[in-house]
Amino acid sequence: MEPNSPEPAPFAVKDCALIALATGRQAHNLKEFRDQLLRIHPGSIFYHFWGGLLNPRFEEREYNNDFASWCRHALRDAVLGERLAVIDPVDFADLEQLRQELVEVIEERLDEREMLIWVQPDQPFEFIRSQIVVFDTHVVFHSPEALASHIPALSIGSVFYHFIDARRRVEGRVDDFSVWLGAFGGVYQPLSQALAAIDPYFMTLTELRAELAAAFERCLCEVPCEQSA
Amino acid sequence: MNSPLDAYAEVVGQDVVAHLRQLAQPLQGMKVVHVNSTRLGGGVAEILEKLVPLMRELGIDTRWEVITGQGAFYQCTKSFHNALQGNAIHIPEALFEAFEADNQRNAEQLCPLLEEADVVFIHDPQPAPLRQFCPGRRGQWIWRCHIDISHPYRPVWKYLRRFIAPYDASIFSLAAFAQPLPHPQYLIPPSIDPFSEKNKVLPEDEIAAVHGRFGTDPTRPVVLQVSRFDRFKDPVGVIDAFKLAKNFQPRLQLILAGGGASDDPEGEAVLTEVRQAAEGHPDIHVLLLPPDAHRTINALQRAADIVVQKSLREGFGLTVTEALWKGKPVIGGDAGGIRLQVINHHTGFLTSTPEGAALRIRYLLHHPDKVREMGEKARTFVRDNFLITRHLREYLTLIVALTHAAEERIELA
């Protein structure tokens, strides 16, 4: 931090909860799937990539997004399933770009296949969206060191809000922790870099919380933070 | 003394309970009423029995009311249940009239409470008309559907839809069950309570005692299905699967344990069919348990080697959740909410035929190490996703969402 520069505002820990809603939109074959993807609310794309982290779902999933899973298991198209599975939402500037990528991969597959495969009547893709409720926990931290000691106790809702949801809110698609660390000048750059290196897409929120705690501890604490706190 | 929520924290984690308390902050003092049609028997009553006190502990003024009816009312609502799950059933006009008349009679008593409530949850079709009989209502009315209505018999759905469409929102267990309605349709799977009589840890001797009580041999493997005697639960299909598996595993025993519910007049007929199918087979034990036999069901599930839930249609399948929570892999019908819980080769197997179920029974009996591994995974899966704390969180989130603008993002001050 520069001399005489104002003290950065404290970090206010927020929490969130997600609730899923049916959109009433379904797809029974790949063309319908493409057409619905072109029109569906971006929140639905977000939900099918990230929503499962906060909603009931088996964690050891074969694929990390619902689109890939449906193509593999309902459409029985292993090739498309794999191509969709490799799409990492973190790579895209916004949900519209992510939507475009999905549509392009599907159109490429439509060009390759001579037959249009239909799913069983009871296995359509059900497009779901979500509402997010964000609330203040009234917990604030004035220094990254103090925050570090609290990371293992964060709720998974807070982890989701500050590390996943932040990418939709914050310019530059970074997490809230990194934005706050940036306000201290370059002092915490190693920690910011460590956070940037965490790929949240292949983890559960519990695992992500552990990774965050490890990064904070590694970069900030010579002794374990909980002992020094 | 620790509060009930503190006890849950020991199972699900302190962070989960702290999260609930914070989410409930903006709802302090709010009046919420749940209405269903039975206080005993069936998954809805079991959920409400726990959910209501927990909501109260969180500072929400929550009531649970039960509507009552005459015989014709229950005949009608049982027909609704079957029709909404896809059976083409003709319901005589007189039953519709009895259905509406009993709702109106209940409304006369309940209106003062329901009209002053901030949020009213109406569970399943039985009390659905109450809303129209409460003209002075001021709160949000939510219809909570616990049934698989993915393919309803259209004339019956068309009749019920006129009561349901004016609600402010509805809740379904799965997206596949949602129907075109002119209001938001939330998706909330149900849950189980780890401390209920049906799910709490039992002493080993109590678990072992069920063998003596019901005449099964504790040294031989037991396959169990727990469910109402209802055709959609396919109890006769389970007997067929058992007979096929027993050709290869002569020591096998089967228990079909069913409870009745006060709003299910059809159970007797199905029970007779089941007894006929089991006739002459001493290793098939058909148990008709009272609706409050939760502890017995708990012991049976823990004593069983393999749990089956071979439903043809299923709303969610709480008996599946219960078995998974007790570390039992489940062989489940490939239907409804069972698909959400039974993950092939991880928490059990999905099957579509008695032959498929028989094959998986044989597989699991030959692989006790796999049974243990899948059982551990099953328990963790339920802890993280299908306990009542998650259910409660989603109800709180829904109330917050509904009482604010129905926007994608709601930031509470």
Side-chain angles (χ1 to χ4, degrees):
Chain A
M1 200 164 52
E2 296 294 320
N4 301 325
S5 61
E7 190 79 8
F11 187 90
V13 178
K14 292 197 173 189
D15 203 337
C16 72
L18 218 60
I19 183 90
L21 290 105
T23 64
R25 292 177 183 269
Q26 296 181 332
H28 295 84
N29 62 42
L30 199 51
K31 271 192 174 167
E32 285 182 6
F33 189 49
R34 187 264 324 264
D35 293 346
Q36 294 288 10
L37 267 174
L38 281 167
R39 292 197 299 264
I40 198 75
H41 188 281
S44 180
I45 294 172
F46 180 82
Y47 179 86
H48 289 293
F49 272 95
W50 295 111
L53 288 172
L54 274 182
N55 271 359
R57 187 173 300 181
F58 190 63
E59 287 188 342
E60 289 178 48
R61 289 192 296 156
E62 191 178 3
Y63 300 118
N64 287 294
N65 68 68
D66 296 337
F67 304 126
S69 187
W70 180 75
C71 288
R72 173 67 186 86
H73 294 292
L75 275 182
R76 303 199 182 281
D77 187 338
V79 172
L80 182 58
E82 289 174 10
R83 287 176 186 168
L84 291 172
V86 84
I87 295 174
D88 189 336
V90 177
D91 291 342
F92 297 87
D94 57 33
L95 289 167
E96 289 308 324
Q97 286 194 19
L98 179 56
R99 183 204 304 268
Q100 273 314 309
E101 178 66 13
L102 290 167
V103 169
E104 276 174 30
V105 169
I106 291 166
E107 288 193 330
E108 181 188 8
R109 190 63 180 150
L110 280 167
D111 290 342
E112 287 171 1
R113 300 202 73 163
E114 291 178 357
M115 285 173 60
L116 190 60
I117 309 294
W118 289 74
V119 296
Q120 296 286 324
D122 65 341
Q123 290 190 306
F125 189 88
E126 305 272 3
F127 286 87
I128 294 172
R129 68 180 180 93
S130 58
Q131 279 178 293
I132 186 168
V133 173
V134 181
F135 51 95
D136 205 332
T137 64
H138 306 293
V139 174
V140 294
F141 293 97
H142 295 272
S143 73
E145 288 78 8
L147 172 61
S149 67
H150 186 74
I151 295 281
L154 282 180
S155 77
I156 58 165
S158 292
V159 173
F160 184 89
Y161 179 79
H162 289 299
F163 208 75
I164 307 284
D165 182 70
R167 291 157 203 268
R168 295 176 75 188
R169 292 180 277 108
V170 175
E171 200 176 333
R173 296 181 295 124
V174 293
D175 60 275
D176 288 335
F177 303 120
S178 297
V179 173
W180 186 56
L181 293 170
F184 290 89
V187 183
Y188 295 104
Q189 198 174 3
L191 176 55
S192 295
Q193 286 170 346
L195 296 180
I198 295 174
D199 182 353
Y201 189 51
F202 294 98
M203 292 181 214
T204 66
L205 290 173
T206 313
E207 289 167 346
L208 177 55
R209 178 172 58 191
E211 286 264 337
L212 291 172
F216 270 84
E217 188 172 309
R218 201 169 51 244
C219 297
L220 298 183
C221 308
E222 288 181 14
V223 293
C225 288
E226 290 203 29
Q227 290 176 29
S228 64
Chain B
M1 200 176 94
N2 282 353
S3 73
L5 274 170
D6 289 334
Y8 286 99
E10 289 176 19
V11 177
V12 296
Q14 193 63 51
D15 58 328
V16 171
V17 171
H19 183 89
L20 289 174
R21 291 190 196 281
Q22 288 190 322
L23 196 49
Q25 273 306 309
L27 311 178
Q28 294 304 292
M30 187 175 268
K31 291 180 192 301
V32 173
V33 185
H34 291 271
V35 185
N36 79 325
S37 66
T38 179
R39 205 169 285 276
L40 280 178
V44 181
E46 286 172 28
I47 288 168
L48 291 178
E49 199 175 309
K50 293 296 173 178
L51 198 67
V52 169
L54 289 177
M55 287 178 81
R56 283 188 192 140
E57 188 184 337
L58 287 170
I60 302 164
D61 179 2
T62 312
R63 298 275 299 263
W64 173 16
E65 298 297 330
V66 175
I67 62 163
T68 56
Q70 306 300 315
F73 172 83
Y74 292 117
Q75 257 181 292
C76 185
T77 57
K78 182 61 190 177
S79 298
F80 285 163
H81 188 89
N82 288 338
L84 291 178
Q85 294 199 86
N87 275 5
I89 290 173
H90 171 72
I91 302 177
E93 192 58 35
L95 292 190
F96 286 128
E97 286 167 11
F99 169 69
E100 290 178 40
D102 276 343
N103 263 286
Q104 188 165 11
R105 187 178 51 75
N106 280 280
E108 282 162 15
Q109 280 190 325
L110 292 173
C111 259
L113 180 71
L114 299 180
E115 288 184 344
E116 70 157 8
D118 298 295
V119 181
V120 177
F121 288 96
I122 297 291
H123 294 264
D124 282 340
Q126 295 93 328
L130 283 182
R131 183 188 173 281
Q132 73 173 30
F133 296 126
C134 294
R137 62 188 175 274
R138 65 178 185 91
Q140 301 278 327
W141 282 60
I142 301 155
W143 184 62
R144 196 334 173 190
C145 178
H146 296 267
I147 308 168
D148 173 353
I149 62 164
S150 49
H151 302 94
Y153 178 53
R154 289 289 158 189
V156 170
W157 172 243
K158 192 177 167 190
Y159 168 77
L160 286 169
R161 192 182 183 281
R162 64 188 156 123
F163 298 115
I164 294 160
Y167 277 68
D168 298 293
S170 50
I171 307 173
F172 296 91
S173 295
L174 294 174
F177 301 168
Q179 292 293 320
L181 287 165
H183 57 234
Q185 297 175 66
Y186 289 91
L187 303 173
I188 303 182
S191 62
I192 60 165
D193 173 23
F195 298 125
S196 68
E197 287 291 296
K198 205 184 263 187
N199 295 306
K200 70 204 290 188
V201 176
L202 296 179
E204 283 300 323
D205 56 347
E206 187 175 344
I207 297 169
V210 294
H211 290 292
R213 194 169 152 200
F214 297 116
T216 48
D217 180 349
T219 67
R220 292 159 52 198
V222 171
V223 174
L224 170 75
Q225 173 159 306
V226 175
S227 62
R228 287 188 196 188
F229 290 102
D230 178 326
R231 288 193 182 87
F232 287 123
K233 311 293 182 188
D234 199 19
V236 175
V238 177
I239 292 175
D240 292 341
F242 168 78
K243 288 175 182 171
L244 287 168
K246 196 168 168 69
N247 289 332
F248 299 89
Q249 294 276 350
R251 288 166 52 78
L252 204 57
Q253 308 171 90
L254 172 67
I255 298 176
L256 286 171
S262 57
D263 60 349
D264 180 8
E266 202 185 68
E268 194 63 35
V270 179
L271 180 61
T272 304
E273 289 170 20
V274 169
R275 285 188 170 136
Q276 282 168 355
E279 214 168 286
H281 293 274
D283 284 331
I284 301 178
H285 302 263
V286 180
L287 314 179
L288 182 62
L289 301 173
D292 59 350
H294 301 319
R295 207 170 167 107
T296 304
I297 289 170
N298 186 347
L300 283 168
Q301 287 169 327
R302 290 179 190 278
D305 293 276
I306 294 168
V307 173
V308 174
Q309 185 61 56
K310 219 197 85 48
S311 304
L312 305 171
R313 285 279 168 89
E314 189 62 74
F316 184 73
L318 281 172
T319 53
V320 171
T321 327
E322 291 158 12
L324 296 175
W325 176 243
K326 291 163 186 118
K328 309 287 175 180
V330 172
I331 297 169
D334 189 3
I338 298 177
R339 288 181 185 143
L340 207 64
Q341 305 181 72
V342 175
I343 314 294
N344 270 331
H345 298 278
H346 289 284
T347 63
F349 294 101
L350 291 172
T351 62
S352 303
T353 59
E355 289 81 359
L359 180 76
R360 297 309 189 181
I361 290 170
R362 290 171 57 199
Y363 173 86
L364 288 175
L365 289 174
H366 275 103
H367 296 88
D369 52 334
K370 197 77 187 158
V371 170
R372 272 191 298 278
E373 182 192 322
M374 290 166 86
E376 280 171 27
K377 215 176 260 191
R379 186 174 163 84
T380 306
F381 180 47
V382 172
R383 186 199 62 202
D384 293 346
N385 295 293
F386 299 117
L387 293 186
I388 196 157
T389 39
R390 189 274 309 153
H391 200 167
L392 179 55
R393 182 191 76 209
E394 295 195 299
Y395 268 56
L396 299 177
T397 310
L398 179 149
I399 295 172
V400 172
L402 270 181
T403 48
H404 289 73
E407 294 160 357
E408 190 187 357
R409 175 178 294 271
I410 297 150
E411 303 249 3
L412 298 178

